[in-house]
Amino acid sequence: MATWVSAINFWAWNMIGPLSTTYAGEMSLSSSEASMLVATPILVGSLGRIAVGSLTDRYGGRIMFIAISLASILPVLAVGFAGNAGSYPMLLVFGFFLGIAGTIFAVGIPFANNWYDASRRGFATGVFGAGMVGTALSAFFTPRFVNWFGLIVTHVIVAIALALTALVCVVAMRNAPAFVPNTDPVVPKFLAACKLRVTWEMSFLYAIVFGGFVAFSNYLPTYIKTIYDFSAVDAGTRTAGFALAAVVARPIGGALSDRIPPKYVVLAAFAGTAVTALVATQKPPPDVWSAADFITMAIFLGIGTGGVFAWVARRTPAKSVGSVTGIVAAAGGLGGYFPPLVMGATYDPVDNDYTVGLLLLVACAVVALLYTAFALKTHEPVNAAATQAMQPRQEENK
């Protein structure tokens, strides 16, 4: 159920991306303006996860799933009307609030953690993370729905799906028996999570793997149309294939991390991402070679996201999972905020390529690879979680 709620909200979160090329053409937007349109919901959906993660620790996943789904309805409808009116400023403003739907990720990780034993959490969080399929659903269906039903009706359909999803949660969803509300004040709890080393280590890694997924899931329609001159529908279909590959790979990354140290899973993900991004700079010809490269990249990114969050679940004190998850998830979303802006700003219209942006992805993946290899331990001490849990108290006592 949590995966389904995530999928619908991710669809809502990605309502602008698949239509960005259409909006750019109709409103005569520059590459940078179109990039800003795509990136704005990502920013809000990222930063909002910090607060939502802490609120999930207090109120539980059930209430937060319902609240986020209902709060996303109005922005989805507003974005539809703004797009229909052809207003770029209104799209930016309502796209800002559309980011609420993207905060859903910070709800599901602690919710899934509470339902499963430690030995199964990698797979469980990976399955929940497969709710990223919502971006694939949006990339594939949103342009088609617009062609079949019109822009306004398409947004109404997604709004109704959000409402029905919230209703199902009210009727059927329950928090795990192991869930214990953490009623500590949110700000001190957030500051305590910030003092944990695991928070910043995992935030850095997640910003690369999940940020890469989010960035390409949103910007790939623009990239494909610009480089290969496909229509919006065809570009959306290929973007859906990218997103689906990452979605399928995520639980695989989580399951592998239940069996081998997550460090090795994450190392493989960064290595594969760097290689495939480097290949993309050569603009492999459509359709087989370019598709093979981007789908392979998606698989490595998906495995990486599953591996990183399995690592988070293994290393984080139980009472801080929601807060740490919120910060790490926010970092991942922020990792997806900047690449579309960079891609738009570094696009070379003379040679029609995004080489600079792709090389920056290669560089980030290599740096993360080296950091993971040399700075992070393969096995955590048995009492690591307990030690981390005591750190905030020790700091206070000092």
Side-chain angles (χ1 to χ4, degrees), residues 238-387:
R238 286 156 179 78
T239 303
F242 173 92
L244 186 60
V247 166
V248 171
R250 180 162 187 148
I252 294 174
L256 286 172
S257 299
D258 286 335
R259 290 162 174 77
I260 62 175
K263 177 176 179 175
Y264 299 135
V265 177
V266 174
L267 284 172
F270 285 131
T273 300
V275 171
T276 51
L278 188 61
V279 171
T281 62
Q282 304 304 308
K283 293 193 291 187
D287 225 359
V288 174
W289 295 110
S290 61
D293 182 51
F294 278 107
I295 287 177
T296 303
M297 181 194 295
I299 291 170
F300 280 115
L301 290 171
I303 288 174
T305 57
V308 170
F309 255 104
W311 217 350
V312 172
R314 183 175 295 189
R315 297 182 61 195
T316 305
K319 69 173 187 177
S320 301
V321 170
S323 299
V324 173
T325 294
I327 297 171
V328 175
L334 283 175
Y337 171 72
F338 294 104
L341 300 179
V342 172
M343 295 289 273
T346 60
Y347 170 66
D348 181 358
V350 177
D351 295 326
N352 187 32
D353 65 46
Y354 290 95
T355 299
V356 174
L358 290 168
L359 287 177
L360 287 172
L361 174 58
V362 173
C364 289
V366 169
V367 170
L369 174 72
L370 295 174
Y371 181 80
T372 303
F374 296 108
L376 300 181
K377 296 177 181 178
T378 303
H379 299 282
E380 294 299 316
V382 174
N383 64 341
T387 301

Side-chain angles (χ1 to χ4, degrees), residues 2-19 41 49 68-69 72-73 75-77 79 98-105 129-146 148-151 153-162 165 210 213 217-218 240 243 247:
T3 304
W4 168 257
V5 180
S6 175
I8 294 300
N9 278 272
F10 264 70
W11 185 338
W13 191 31
N14 192 35
M15 287 298 290
I16 290 178
L19 302 176
R49 293 175 181 183
I68 298 300
S69 298
S72 301
I73 292 174
V76 167
L77 295 173
V79 164
L98 190 65
I100 293 171
T103 65
I104 200 73
F105 189 81
M132 299 187 310
V133 75
T135 60
L137 293 174
S138 183
F140 186 83
F141 286 109
T142 298
R144 285 172 169 78
F145 279 11
V146 170
W148 298 339
F149 311 120
L151 188 66
V153 174
T154 297
H155 286 74
V156 169
I157 290 172
V158 175
I160 291 173
L162 286 166
T165 296
F210 187 73
F213 165 76
S217 294
N218 284 271
V247 166

